[in-house]
């Protein structure tokens, strides 16, 4: 069995029921964290419609949050979900301005992790912050059935 994540008549993703259920539960968590709707509608009769305008706002907020976080556990917990959302956004035709998102880090880090050695927070690696995330999204995109 599988479920469909559609944009109009186009299927963006057709995961198994288990992968879909886990993903949709993550959607609810991140909608609550960001206080923003994702644009990923309810699953009805194994189909879910995606609102590209809301998804674009959600993915930009998700990336901005990811950029402002320097906590290794939070990053590890959110990376797979964020990469999956990036694949959906790409398939929905959403173009992301990575340079603008990266430059928007003037705000202070929200979650940091103290180093055991120095007690100082670890900062992310400047301009290369999104490289690993984009690579993860490319890898997942090749494995996510349409």
């Amino acid at each position: 069995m599988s479920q469909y994540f559609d944009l109009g008549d186009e299927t963006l993703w057709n995961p198994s029921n288990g992968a879909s259920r886990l993903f949709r539960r993550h959607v609810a968590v991140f909608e609550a964290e960001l206080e923003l709707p994702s644009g990923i509608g309810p699953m009805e009769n194994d189909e879910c419609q995606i609102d590209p305008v809301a998804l674009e706002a959600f993915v930009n907020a998700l990336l901005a949050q990811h950029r402002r976080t320097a906590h290794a556990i939070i990053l590890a917990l959110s990376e797979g979900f964020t990469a999956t959302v990036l694949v959906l956004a790409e398939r929905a035709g959403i173009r992301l301005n990575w340079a603008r998102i990266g430059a928007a880090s003037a705000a202070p880090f929200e979650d940091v992790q103290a180093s055991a050695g120095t007690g100082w927070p670890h900062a992310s690696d400047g301009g290369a912050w999104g490289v690993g995330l984009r690579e993860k999204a490319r890898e997942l995109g090749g494995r996510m059935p349409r």
Side-chain angles (χ1 to χ4, degrees):
M1 297 294 294
S2 61
Q3 297 186 324
Y4 297 86
F5 290 79
D6 298 331
L7 178 62
D9 293 334
E10 181 184 358
T11 297
L12 303 180
W13 186 28
N14 178 226
S16 68
N17 288 349
S20 173
R21 185 175 50 250
L22 187 59
F23 175 73
R24 287 181 291 110
R25 287 182 175 151
H26 277 81
V27 166
V29 166
F30 283 91
E31 284 177 330
E33 282 293 310
L34 297 172
E35 299 178 343
L36 190 67
S38 65
I40 298 170
M43 189 61 65
E44 297 173 349
N45 299 318
D46 292 331
E47 295 180 354
C48 158
Q49 281 294 319
I50 294 177
D51 173 354
V53 173
L55 180 61
E56 182 173 7
F58 182 77
V59 73
N60 278 303
L62 187 62
L63 288 171
Q65 179 194 47
H66 187 84
R67 178 68 177 109
R68 290 188 313 269
T69 302
H71 193 288
I73 301 302
I74 292 173
L75 291 171
L77 289 170
S78 64
E79 184 178 72
F81 173 76
T82 303
T84 303
V85 171
L86 287 174
V87 173
L88 285 176
E90 179 183 322
R91 290 179 180 180
I94 296 169
R95 301 285 178 238
L96 299 169
N97 185 334
W98 288 89
R100 183 184 54 78
I101 295 166
S105 66
F109 283 103
E110 293 179 356
D111 287 296
V112 294
Q113 181 173 337
S115 166
T118 65
W120 292 102
H122 292 288
S124 63
D125 56 352
W129 74 273
V131 172
L133 195 54
R134 285 181 277 188
E135 181 58 35
K136 180 80 168 173
R138 273 192 293 278
E139 177 186 320
L140 284 176
R143 297 177 185 208
M144 289 173 59
R146 288 184 181 241

